[in-house]
Amino acid sequence: MDATALWQRYQDWLYYNEELGFYLDVSRVTFDDAFVAEMTPRFAKAFEAIDALEKGAIANPDENRMVGHYWLRDPDLAPNEDLRSEIVNTLRDIENFTQQIHTATITPPGEERFTDILSIGIGGSALGPEFVAEALGAVNPPLQINFIDNTDPAGIDKTLARLGDRLKTTLVLVISKSGGTPETRNGMLEVKAAYERRGLDFSKYAIATTGRGSKLDKVAQADNWLATFPMQDWVGGRTSELSSVGLLPAALQGIDIRAILAGAKQMDAATRIPDLKSNPAALMALAWYHAGNGKGEKDMVILPYKDSLLLFSRYLQQLIMESLGKETDLDGNKVFQGIAVYGNKGSTDQHAYVQQLREGVNNFFVTLIEVLTDREGSSTEIDPGVTAGDYLSGFLQGTRKALFENKRQSITITIPEVTPVIVGSLIALYERAVSLYAAVVNINAYHQPGVEAGKKAAASILNLQNMVVDVLSKTGGSLTLAEVADKVGRPDAIEDIYKIIRHLDANGRMVAIDGNAGNPGTMRVMAR
């Protein structure tokens, strides 16, 4: 396609939202008019499905749940007054609590004010808050935020060491809908122990964000924690950033949460338009479908050209991959759907993997994110008439051009700057695009059976560990690995047993290995 035709295609397919200053360019995805005509009826059905979802239809039949994250930024859309009031009242409670913290009306015992936040969560209870903190957090916020988002003991130790003596002025947010998520529970118990080692009453620092009546909710109530905020049953973890999950930590950092919600509401309105060409989320879903042949045959590479958007690709990994990665469709057919997502930031990645993107295996499409405003204030001229921001813009345009010249497809999102309104709009845009794409390919975007299977498998390993330790403690002598497996009654799990024993021995706990652990058939095992 020559330059004139490309320019015309760009103009034909450029979406612009004047209210948000938002541009979407799908012209470098090579669908044609026939493809659009073929897909239009499918998108018409998808628009109807999302409209029903927003009106309260059961969108997650596996769990008999509504999906209502859209109501969080427009409570008037909630299907009944009770839900509307809950959303409005929760937002009010978050703002009131935040004001009490910022004005030192609520203080830590014996101290003038809280200085830090320690947020404990995993998956959707961590990725959204981390992304928003990186994108919008001030250099000197009212409270600095820290995260524990894994059950890695060394990682927990490092975070606690970073806080040091400020632990006594740190608010702890424990975020888990069920209250039974192992990683979050483990982090909470580790942190609680750290407070107790310092002679501090953990309950005077702790806040729960959880489902009503959950295990965590009961602990928080019984121990009289500082506060509890709800996680609604109809909000999934990966779409929870604009609920208490993300709004509370953002507000405590001094981020304008009303502006985030306003941006999401504006994008929601734009993405409700039941017209393929006038709806940016539908255009994105169309581009995803074409690039991957409707089967996720190509990966999605996210390249934001702004340091503050570094964590956007990590946030999108869960939103997209957990929503779209499904073995079966809604009719029970095996479809193995999904789109793999990875990315970092531009122009950093031009010194990392853009070489492969341009010349290696063509198994991806790129989403470039351009931010028009370079910085607050004026810029130094690096070269005559050229700033560092000009270089960044040039690298983006050059990468897009170089990729397309070698038949690599791309989408470009352009935003005016990284503000709470724009961050809210980006979250809403991708949430809607995921919903539309899922409707088009006929899958359930709102459950995660693979995640649940992984949790059950982990629980079975921990149960097996207890059995192994019990057998060894009762034996008194040493056993071969095969003998341990036989006594446990699980010869089929000998590899699992070997790895359990190796891990315990490496940490000096409960069991010891005699011999070479690299030669499992000859080693012996005993209780420590």
Side-chain angles (χ1 to χ4, degrees):
M1 191 178 295
D2 64 25
T4 300
L6 269 178
W7 169 235
Q8 187 58 54
R9 179 175 175 80
Y10 175 80
Q11 294 179 81
D12 290 344
W13 287 101
L14 179 65
Y15 171 86
Y16 177 59
N17 185 299
E18 186 174 7
E19 187 178 18
L20 289 166
F22 169 90
Y23 301 78
L24 175 67
D25 163 29
V26 295
S27 66
R28 269 37 175 195
V29 178
T30 55
F31 54 80
D32 57 20
D33 291 344
F35 175 78
V36 174
E38 176 190 341
M39 295 300 295
T40 296
R42 299 178 68 171
F43 272 90
K45 291 182 180 179
F47 292 136
E48 291 175 1
I50 306 307
D51 180 60
L53 177 150
E54 288 196 307
K55 290 177 178 175
I58 298 299
N60 190 351
D62 288 10
E63 299 172 326
N64 195 35
R65 289 179 181 174
M66 297 183 290
V67 174
H69 51 273
Y70 300 109
W71 311 329
L72 295 168
R73 48 267 198 170
D74 193 350
D76 290 338
L77 294 178
N80 61 62
E81 180 58 29
D82 287 344
L83 293 180
R84 191 196 73 80
S85 295
E86 181 180 11
I87 296 165
V88 171
N89 292 340
T90 298
L91 182 58
R92 178 204 61 205
D93 292 345
I94 288 171
E95 291 176 326
N96 288 343
F97 181 79
T98 297
Q99 183 182 32
Q100 290 178 299
I101 295 295
H102 287 174
T103 59
T105 304
I106 297 176
T107 60
E111 303 293 332
E112 291 185 4
R113 65 191 309 113
F114 284 102
T115 61
D116 290 80
I117 307 160
L118 178 54
S119 181
I120 304 172
I122 195 165
S125 297
L127 291 167
E130 287 171 353
F131 161 54
V132 169
E134 181 76 16
L136 299 174
V139 175
N140 295 302
L143 285 85
Q144 294 280 355
I145 193 163
N146 308 269
F147 293 94
I148 290 176
D149 62 359
N150 200 1
T151 187
D152 175 10
I156 293 170
D157 288 347
K158 187 174 182 179
T159 299
L160 292 173
R162 191 182 300 119
L163 282 166
D165 194 49
R166 297 199 314 280
L167 196 68
K168 64 186 179 184
T169 56
T170 296
L171 274 174
V172 182
L173 310 184
V174 185
I175 308 171
S176 171
K177 181 186 284 188
S178 69
T181 306
E183 296 92 339
T184 304
R185 174 182 172 274
N186 296 352
M188 178 191 73
L189 294 176
E190 288 262 7
V191 171
K192 182 180 181 182
Y195 274 83
E196 290 172 348
R197 285 194 295 270
R198 288 174 172 262
L200 302 173
D201 181 355
F202 179 68
S203 67
K204 304 300 184 186
Y205 303 81
I207 301 162
T209 300
T210 188
R212 285 196 173 90
S214 73
K215 295 177 183 177
L216 178 58
D217 188 38
K218 291 174 182 176
V219 169
Q221 300 299 333
D223 293 348
N224 197 28
W225 285 16
L226 270 180
T228 303
F229 294 92
M231 287 183 74
Q232 293 87 353
D233 183 64
W234 36 267
V235 176
R238 54 191 174 276
T239 55
S240 66
E241 174 55 23
L242 302 187
S243 72
S244 302
V245 169
L247 296 181
L248 177 60
L252 289 167
Q253 293 170 80
I255 296 169
D256 187 346
I257 59 174
R258 293 275 180 175
I260 296 176
L261 291 168
K265 181 177 178 179
Q266 288 174 252
M267 184 58 78
D268 281 345
T271 57
R272 281 191 192 102
I273 297 171
D275 176 71
L276 182 54
K277 201 166 184 178
S278 304
N279 183 320
L283 285 173
M284 283 216 309
L286 178 79
W288 298 354
Y289 189 101
H290 183 270
N293 196 28
K295 300 175 183 177
E297 292 175 358
K298 293 195 174 182
D299 301 340
M300 182 188 303
V301 181
I302 306 292
L303 282 180
Y305 278 67
K306 207 66 173 178
D307 287 357
S308 60
L309 297 178
L310 169 67
L311 298 182
F312 195 37
S313 61
R314 286 190 64 206
Y315 169 76
L316 292 178
Q317 276 181 333
Q318 184 190 21
L319 175 64
I320 295 169
M321 295 177 72
E322 194 168 271
S323 298
L324 302 183
K326 303 295 159 65
E327 181 176 353
T328 60
D329 66 13
L330 289 169
D331 299 321
N333 302 309
K334 290 285 182 75
V335 291
F336 299 105
Q337 275 287 354
I339 301 176
V341 179
Y342 63 95
N344 184 13
K345 65 179 181 181
S347 64
T348 301
D349 284 330
Q350 294 182 206
H351 301 273
Y353 52 68
V354 167
Q355 167 64 31
Q356 176 168 316
L357 296 185
R358 188 178 190 277
E359 298 187 5
V361 58
N362 188 2
N363 64 345
F364 66 92
F365 63 97
V366 177
T367 299
L368 304 156
I369 303 177
E370 176 184 24
V371 182
L372 292 175
T373 303
D374 291 338
R375 58 154 51 103
E376 292 184 13
S378 59
S379 290
T380 300
E381 289 192 1
I382 304 300
D383 296 316
V386 179
T387 67
D390 296 338
Y391 270 98
L392 191 65
S393 178
F395 286 138
L396 184 154
Q397 302 303 335
T399 299
R400 174 177 175 271
K401 182 179 178 62
L403 289 172
F404 192 71
E405 286 175 346
N406 225 23
K407 297 181 172 56
R408 309 326 166 82
Q409 301 184 83
S410 68
I411 299 165
T412 303
I413 291 171
T414 301
I415 55 178
E417 52 190 328
V418 181
T419 64
V421 168
I422 293 301
V423 167
S425 73
L426 288 174
I427 290 170
L429 172 70
Y430 274 89
E431 286 178 348
R432 183 84 61 167
V434 163
S435 294
L436 287 168
Y437 183 93
V440 167
V441 298
N442 194 38
I443 59 171
N444 181 355
Y446 310 107
H447 68 165
Q448 50 281 334
V451 175
E452 299 306 319
K455 290 179 180 178
K456 290 176 182 176
S460 71
I461 292 293
L462 293 175
N463 182 57
L464 182 60
Q465 176 176 304
N466 290 334
M467 295 164 63
V468 167
V469 171
D470 183 59
V471 161
L472 289 172
S473 65
K474 290 177 178 176
T475 298
S478 65
L479 298 172
T480 66
L481 197 61
E483 288 170 338
V484 174
D486 284 339
K487 286 184 175 294
V488 169
R490 290 294 308 279
D492 60 307
I494 192 167
E495 183 176 323
D496 294 332
I497 292 168
Y498 163 66
K499 291 180 178 179
I500 287 168
I501 290 169
R502 186 177 63 181
H503 174 252
L504 292 174
D505 174 71
N507 286 278
R509 296 173 52 231
M510 296 185 285
V511 306
I513 293 173
D514 181 21
N516 181 4
N519 190 354
T522 62
M523 75 182 203
R524 299 187 71 83
V525 191
M526 64 203 77
R528 190 178 289 274

